[in-house]
Amino acid sequence: MKSRKLSRKRQRATIVTAAAASVVAGAALLPNWSAGAASVNADPKVDAATKATFQRLADAVFTDRTDALVGDDGSKRKTSRFSGDVRLSSAQSRSEKSALTKLESRKARLAELGEKYRSANTTVSLDRTRVKGRNATVDVTETTTLAYDKATGTEPKTTGFEAHHTLTFKADRKGDWQLTGVQDTDDGVAVNQVEATTFVATPMTGDTTPPAATRAAITKPAPAKPKNFTASGYDYKAMAAYAAKYWKDYNPAYPNFNGEGAGGDCTNFVSQSLKAGGWKHVPGYVNDFHKWFGNADIQSDSFVGVNEFSWFALSSKRTTNLANVYQADVGDVIQMDFNKDGSKDHTMIVTYRSPQGVPYVSYHSTNTYNRSLASIIASYPNAAYYAYRT
């Protein structure tokens, strides 16, 4: 089968994150683990102790980012505990300060939307270390949980995500390692991600007359009319249950579209959740947006593509546009266009709605469960949003 070219932006876009190597957060010089070596000019060898130091510094960087959302005044920042032979260069110090300032602003926007986090926990595991001469590349997995402040009744008590990052280090002539770059490797939206992802899009191909989604307002309105959970015949609780089960542990019955060049797994995950709640396959050609199907062997573009999903959902009448994102309820779908260029970037499914009328969403890339819509809007206030009643 010939490979297909999707128009979804995650499949065809060049992604440039604001957390790439040019924006280095939490950079520090690590202790000279090779002290006493016969020659300071020899290329350093990374031993277990050095790897552990890499991991601890990564943990400190991402914990500081998370704590900035909870209300820490900076006195407890983990990166400040690296002292003595560990130094922050002036440039890296400015970068870290800038990142935390942006997250403090996000915390303020969250408060305006009525959301606060009571506490948080971030842990980082080291997945892989590659060394070439005096350069080291370290892959890590960040797992973060934030506790919602004053959650009551059936409201989610926590939100969490799992994110992957690549850190780059460079050793000086004495063997001291310096953190030189932090790059987010997921095509996703983490609550402590420093800035929104920037996309460079390519022109759409194929059918030029797909249905257009209507942009949804993001100002919280009066409480919306409750969703009729029986009118469509779909099982919305099953959709939410599927998302709860597979938001982090992927269903092996489907391919995983994360990774370089894979396009991102957000829409694939949402389609699986909708299928679990009763959406039926519409077989046909993979590039026909009027068709919708997906399994381990083959998937339609509409099953895995952000824009193609929107075209199928509207043209099939399986969804209708909502005028405001806060109208979304369990089983409904929300999409985002980060830079408002007309091509959507990200797909999420609502897995809970609070008594106060706030939807909570779950998604892949970055793997996230029950994140409030208020948090999404506070993080990306300039994005365009689209909401679909399923």
Side-chain angles (χ1 to χ4, degrees), residues 90-263:
S90 59
Q92 310 304 347
S93 178
R94 288 194 298 271
S95 295
E96 175 66 1
K97 182 177 180 181
S98 174
L100 297 178
T101 298
K102 292 174 182 177
L103 290 169
E104 289 282 353
S105 298
R106 182 175 300 174
K107 180 184 67 177
R109 292 196 298 270
L110 276 168
E112 293 174 357
L113 294 169
E115 179 165 315
K116 294 182 179 180
Y117 301 120
R118 175 171 48 84
S119 60
N121 181 64
T122 292
T123 60
V124 173
S125 61
L126 190 150
D127 302 324
R128 183 184 181 193
T129 301
R130 301 177 298 282
V131 180
K132 185 176 181 179
R134 294 179 175 272
N135 297 284
T137 303
V138 179
D139 296 332
V140 300
T141 297
E142 171 198 0
T143 303
T144 290
T145 302
L146 298 103
Y148 291 115
D149 189 34
K150 299 179 180 178
T152 60
T154 60
E155 293 180 44
K157 302 300 186 295
T158 62
T159 182
F161 66 87
E162 183 181 77
H164 302 89
H165 313 278
T166 295
L167 282 64
T168 52
F169 293 85
K170 187 176 180 63
D172 63 16
R173 289 174 57 84
K174 294 182 180 181
D176 294 328
W177 288 96
Q178 181 180 17
L179 176 65
T180 58
V182 179
Q183 181 178 9
D184 304 321
T185 57
D186 296 319
D187 294 342
V189 185
V191 65
N192 68 352
Q193 183 175 311
V194 177
E195 289 183 347
T197 305
T198 300
F199 296 89
V200 179
T202 55
M204 291 186 184
T205 60
D207 195 327
T208 59
T209 58
T214 302
R215 187 180 299 181
I218 60 174
T219 302
K220 189 175 181 181
K225 182 179 178 181
K227 180 177 180 177
N228 187 334
F229 282 87
T230 60
S232 67
Y234 298 131
D235 188 341
Y236 298 106
K237 290 184 179 179
M239 295 176 185
Y242 183 95
K245 183 176 182 179
Y246 293 112
W247 71 271
K248 182 172 65 173
D249 300 317
Y250 285 29
N251 188 344
Y254 295 91
N256 178 350
F257 290 103
N258 284 330
E260 185 177 356

Side-chain angles (χ1 to χ4, degrees), residues 65-80:
R65 293 184 183 185
T66 304
D67 286 347
L69 296 170
V70 178
D72 180 47
D73 60 4
S75 61
K76 298 180 180 179
R77 288 177 182 163
K78 283 191 173 183
T79 50
S80 66

